Amino acid sequence: AMRTAITTAAIVCAALAQPSAAFFVSNPRLARLSSRATQSAMAPKRPAPTMSDDYSMADQQARFAMHKETKNERVLNIDKFYDGSQFKGKRVLVTGANRGVGLALTKQLKADGAVVIAAVRKTSPELDDEANQVIEGIDVMDDDLGGKLVAGLGAEPVDVVINNAGYFWEPEETLENPNFRE
């Protein structure tokens, strides 16, 4: 799981440096599980995976299988292509950095020489060891989010922002029930 998270971090960091390039996240373990499931006679038939220059395929397992089939080296061997040296000495703000992908990003950025500022609702001992600065009490649903961030950051500018914090509204939002505050 950590290797996948670190690979994800590398992909996101590379995407920041080259925003026009397409990057994909894959989990080989999930791909194997999906492969077994789709071989079942009860599995629905899916159209052949396709890619577009505008977006990536939402089906992560099918996307990974397609990249394996086409021997897409950039996806299958991210370590060969990722160079985090562009983050050395940069001040990087990572929201949602206390666990999961955010924590993996924090670790990768620190290893790349970045000055990492973590903006989180609540910190963790592991995050305290990794980040150069932790700004606690940051919740993406808080109307005073900007004021809290500005106060925590001080006068020194930030070079890169990785907005990893997420929010998922439980009811499904449609055109009939828009929730603008959310």
Side-chain angles (χ1 to χ4, degrees), residues 6-16 23-26 75 78 82:
I6 290 172
T7 300
T8 302
I11 291 167
V12 171
C13 291
L16 287 170
F23 292 90
F24 308 94
V25 179
S26 56
V75 173
I78 191 68
Y82 176 71

Side-chain angles (χ1 to χ4, degrees):
M2 181 54 72
R3 176 71 179 146
T4 300
I6 290 172
T7 300
T8 302
I11 291 167
V12 171
C13 291
L16 287 170
Q18 300 172 2
S20 63
F23 292 90
F24 308 94
V25 179
S26 56
N27 184 326
R29 190 172 12 177
L30 289 177
R32 284 193 304 275
L33 291 173
S34 174
S35 175
R36 276 188 241 129
T38 55
Q39 289 172 2
S40 161
M42 300 200 50
K45 299 294 180 204
R46 297 185 205 181
T50 59
M51 294 294 294
S52 162
D53 291 338
D54 298 328
Y55 59 90
S56 69
M57 183 187 327
D59 184 334
Q60 189 176 31
Q61 291 84 18
R63 188 173 64 235
F64 181 71
M66 180 186 65
H67 289 305
K68 280 179 67 176
E69 185 178 319
T70 61
K71 297 179 177 39
N72 186 331
E73 184 94 11
R74 184 165 194 102
V75 173
L76 301 173
N77 186 6
I78 191 68
D79 294 332
K80 181 177 177 181
F81 296 92
Y82 176 71
D83 174 15
S85 64
Q86 70 268 18
F87 294 106
K88 186 172 185 156
K90 301 281 187 191
R91 284 177 44 94
V92 181
L93 172 68
V94 180
T95 65
N98 60 325
R99 61 189 177 100
V101 172
L103 184 59
L105 281 165
T106 298
K107 290 177 180 181
Q108 182 65 52
L109 289 163
K110 181 180 179 181
D112 293 339
V115 176
V116 183
I117 306 148
V120 296
R121 284 180 296 199
K122 186 176 180 192
T123 191
S124 67
E126 192 172 12
L127 178 62
D128 290 338
D129 290 342
E130 296 293 336
N132 298 83
Q133 178 185 354
V134 177
I135 305 171
E136 233 178 327
I138 301 299
D139 187 335
V140 295
M141 290 302 300
D142 186 350
D143 289 338
D144 191 34
L145 171 67
K148 288 180 183 178
L149 266 176
V150 169
L153 289 170
E156 198 170 343
V158 171
D159 298 301
V160 178
V161 174
I162 301 175
N163 187 14
N164 175 66
Y167 169 76
F168 181 71
W169 187 44
E170 289 298 323
E172 183 179 332
E173 187 171 4
T174 67
L175 292 174
E176 288 78 36
N177 73 343
N179 189 334
F180 294 112
R181 186 174 185 291
E182 296 296 323

